[in-house]
Amino acid sequence: MKQPRSLRTPSTRAHMVGASTLAISIATIGAPVPAFAQTAELNAVVVEGKAIPDQNPNGNPDSPYKAETLDSSKFSRPIADTPKSITVITKESIEDSGATDLADVLKIQPGITIGTGEGGNAFGDRFIIRGFEARNDVFVDGLRDPGVTTRETFAVEQIEVSKGPSSSFAGRGTTGGAINNVTKKPGQIDFTTLEVGIGTDNKQRYTLDANRKLNDQLSVRLNALYAERDVPARDGAEEQRQGLALALEHKTTSNLTLSADIYHLRGDEIPDGGVPWDSVTGKPVPGRKFYGQNGRDF
């Protein structure tokens, strides 16, 4: 008996050819590939170093923007354990801000506004904390520094702002709060830092911060400043400052440390009274950018 012949259509043949090609490809991919291994021995690298302790005794070495304690001995507990609203601005924050005046550092802090001569008050540092006048509640290392003057930051290590009634720290009258400037004190690490700032409007600023440990008992720290600039957009207003701060610290015994410091700041600045205003036109007086007398006021 004759066997039936299988019928293969062209499409069936094409599928079979494709299957054979796929099988061959898979077999080729799965074929073992010779491995080429190469080894190399590297000498061990050992890095040794010693961390430099933070110069700010109140700061956190692992987080320089954070202060753990206050400089004043009247606050005996860490800041986190003190039931009071306290803002501490460390030296790293002051340097990063680029501000050279105490008012410029504090005007961006919450709860503090800066007066600008309203009500006939003299120009200078006029701080208002939580709506209460605080121009006489400014301290330097815990000592009251009253007056409406322009305060520099070249010798400031840390700024401490206590908000709310602060009679326990600053005495009577501090309803809104108090501001304490902590000056740069001698440390145990020798260093010298020189900063130079050059800008538009003839701006020049040079600061020197040097610390020396003379022996195990005596340390000294020197800060110096020279700065001058023209007030932008003013014809005649200019500023020039010269500052010097010297601090000594002597560890007489393990329980007694004697310290002494001297601070000097001179500012020759022509007051900027603003731009002359024409009440008739409601516009500034054309052609004049300065209201004052050049070379007279300082």
Side-chain angles (χ1 to χ4, degrees), residues 160-230:
E160 303 169 350
V161 182
S162 58
K163 302 173 184 177
S166 303
S167 59
S168 60
F169 164 69
R172 184 181 65 180
T174 53
T175 306
I179 302 169
N180 184 37
N181 295 317
V182 181
T183 59
K184 295 181 179 179
K185 299 179 177 60
Q188 301 300 315
I189 304 298
D190 292 344
F191 66 88
T192 301
T193 303
L194 176 63
E195 296 183 358
V196 178
I198 304 295
T200 58
D201 299 289
N202 299 321
K203 177 183 178 180
Q204 301 180 50
R205 182 178 175 86
Y206 309 93
T207 59
L208 173 67
D209 186 1
N211 186 88
R212 290 294 181 270
K213 182 180 179 182
L214 304 181
N215 51 51
D216 294 339
Q217 290 78 31
L218 183 62
S219 300
V220 59
R221 188 167 185 177
L222 172 67
N223 283 269
L225 163 71
Y226 179 82
E228 63 178 17
R229 71 183 181 101
D230 297 335

Side-chain angles (χ1 to χ4, degrees), residues 256-267:
L256 177 63
T257 299
L258 301 178
S259 60
D261 55 44
I262 182 173
Y263 178 87
H264 172 78
L265 176 66
R266 176 184 175 87

Side-chain angles (χ1 to χ4, degrees), residues 3 11 13 21 53 61 64 75 86 107 112 118 131 135 142 147-150 176 224-225 233 242 247 259 274-275:
Q3 297 292 336
S11 59
R13 184 186 301 271
T21 305
F75 294 95
I86 300 175
K107 69 180 180 182
I112 301 178
E118 298 89 346
R135 58 182 170 181
V148 184
T149 61
T150 301
L225 163 71
Q242 303 170 16
S259 60
V275 178

